[in-house]
Amino acid sequence: MADVRVQRLVGRAHGVAGEAHAKAIRRIAYLPSWVPFELKRSMVIVADKWYSLSSGERCVYAITGINAVVFGMWQIPRLLPIMARCFLHDPRNGLSYTLLTSTFSHREVWHFLFNSIALVSFGSSLANLIGPEHFTAFYLSAGVFSSLASHLLSPLRPALILPSLGASGAVYAVVGSVMMLFPHSKIALIFLPFLPLTISQAFPALMAYDLAGAVLGWQSFNHIAHLGGGLFGIAYIEWFAGQWQRLVRAAEQRRERERESK
């Protein structure tokens, strides 16, 4: 990084984690002169931290960032009608795209923080293992599946037909997958930090709680979405994860044949 502006901003000994990191530093260095130097330095620190993360961690933090933006939009009163229409899934309104958009949506800070902590804690290891593209496809599919499970099964108990939102179903899928891959991993529950458990003990207990909630009609959480997400994660690792790898290999082989034929 021999550029004079870059050296003035970060010094000669500043290391980079790759070409993308170097380009980010260069863009910051060439911001207009009216941007305060201290702000540029802060941006460099953020860039350094971002590019020090693994690709899987960046994927998980990107999803968490989208959730944070949507959460912030819920806090703006003038946006509430739009948010209720576009980021809240109601089985009675006939909209299908909210099966997906509602999975990025949180109104209460505790809901957003709990799902964010769980996603970062469990999702990072899964995304590093299967790759960010695979994880993104898995996460989005799990979110839609859990929303669809709630959409289809809630009418069995009319009292449960309520608008829903949140990443909990997709997060349950992530935790279920991690349980299948690392069944002996130790975890500590936020509300029981003094009681060490393996994920194979804690997650089935959560699923049992949600099953009771779905059967008994509890309305504290969307228990059906939780169950749908958890079962999706377990089933995906058990039966379908290999399908993705076969699709990737087939696509790579097809591209290779196309390059050879040119």
Side-chain angles (χ1 to χ4, degrees), residues 35-49:
V35 178
F37 183 81
E38 293 76 10
L39 179 57
K40 292 182 180 179
R41 287 289 302 159
S42 298
M43 295 171 70
V44 168
I45 293 172
V46 173
D48 289 345
K49 177 61 177 176

Side-chain angles (χ1 to χ4, degrees), residues 50 54-64 127 131-133 135-136:
W50 177 255
S54 66
S55 60
E57 289 172 324
R58 289 200 294 269
C59 175
V60 169
Y61 278 112
I63 294 172
T64 305
E133 297 87 358
F135 180 83
T136 300

Side-chain angles (χ1 to χ4, degrees), residues 33-210:
S33 58
W34 52 263
V35 178
F37 183 81
E38 293 76 10
L39 179 57
K40 292 182 180 179
R41 287 289 302 159
S42 298
M43 295 171 70
V44 168
I45 293 172
V46 173
D48 289 345
K49 177 61 177 176
W50 177 255
Y51 285 102
S52 71
L53 300 173
S54 66
S55 60
E57 289 172 324
R58 289 200 294 269
C59 175
V60 169
Y61 278 112
I63 294 172
T64 305
I66 295 172
N67 291 346
V69 170
V70 177
F71 170 74
M73 293 170 67
W74 271 111
Q75 312 313 309
I76 302 173
R78 294 184 64 179
L79 294 181
L80 288 179
I82 297 174
M83 299 304 294
R85 183 173 66 253
C86 299
F87 288 91
L88 192 66
H89 182 69
D90 189 339
R92 298 162 296 190
N93 66 11
L95 297 177
S96 57
Y97 67 85
T98 53
L99 290 168
L100 175 62
T101 57
S102 64
T103 64
F104 294 97
S105 187
H106 304 82
R107 293 190 67 171
E108 293 83 13
V109 65
W110 67 266
H111 192 196
F112 167 69
L113 290 177
F114 188 85
N115 279 340
S116 296
I117 292 171
L119 178 58
V120 171
S121 299
F122 294 99
S124 297
S125 58
L126 181 61
N128 284 330
L129 179 65
I130 67 177
E133 297 87 358
H134 190 173
F135 180 83
T136 300
F138 166 80
Y139 184 87
L140 296 178
S141 300
V144 172
F145 182 87
S146 59
S147 295
L148 183 61
S150 176
H151 180 101
L152 295 176
L153 297 178
S154 292
L156 298 178
R157 297 185 69 92
L160 299 181
I161 304 179
L162 298 170
S164 61
L165 76 172
S168 300
V171 170
Y172 261 67
V174 170
V175 179
S177 295
V178 172
M179 181 192 70
M180 296 296 291
L181 294 167
F182 310 105
H184 303 297
S185 297
K186 298 285 188 179
I187 65 170
L189 301 179
I190 294 176
F191 45 86
L192 291 173
F194 53 85
L195 183 62
L197 299 169
T198 66
I199 191 171
S200 296
Q201 295 169 325
F203 189 64
L206 286 176
M207 293 286 282
Y209 169 79
D210 283 306

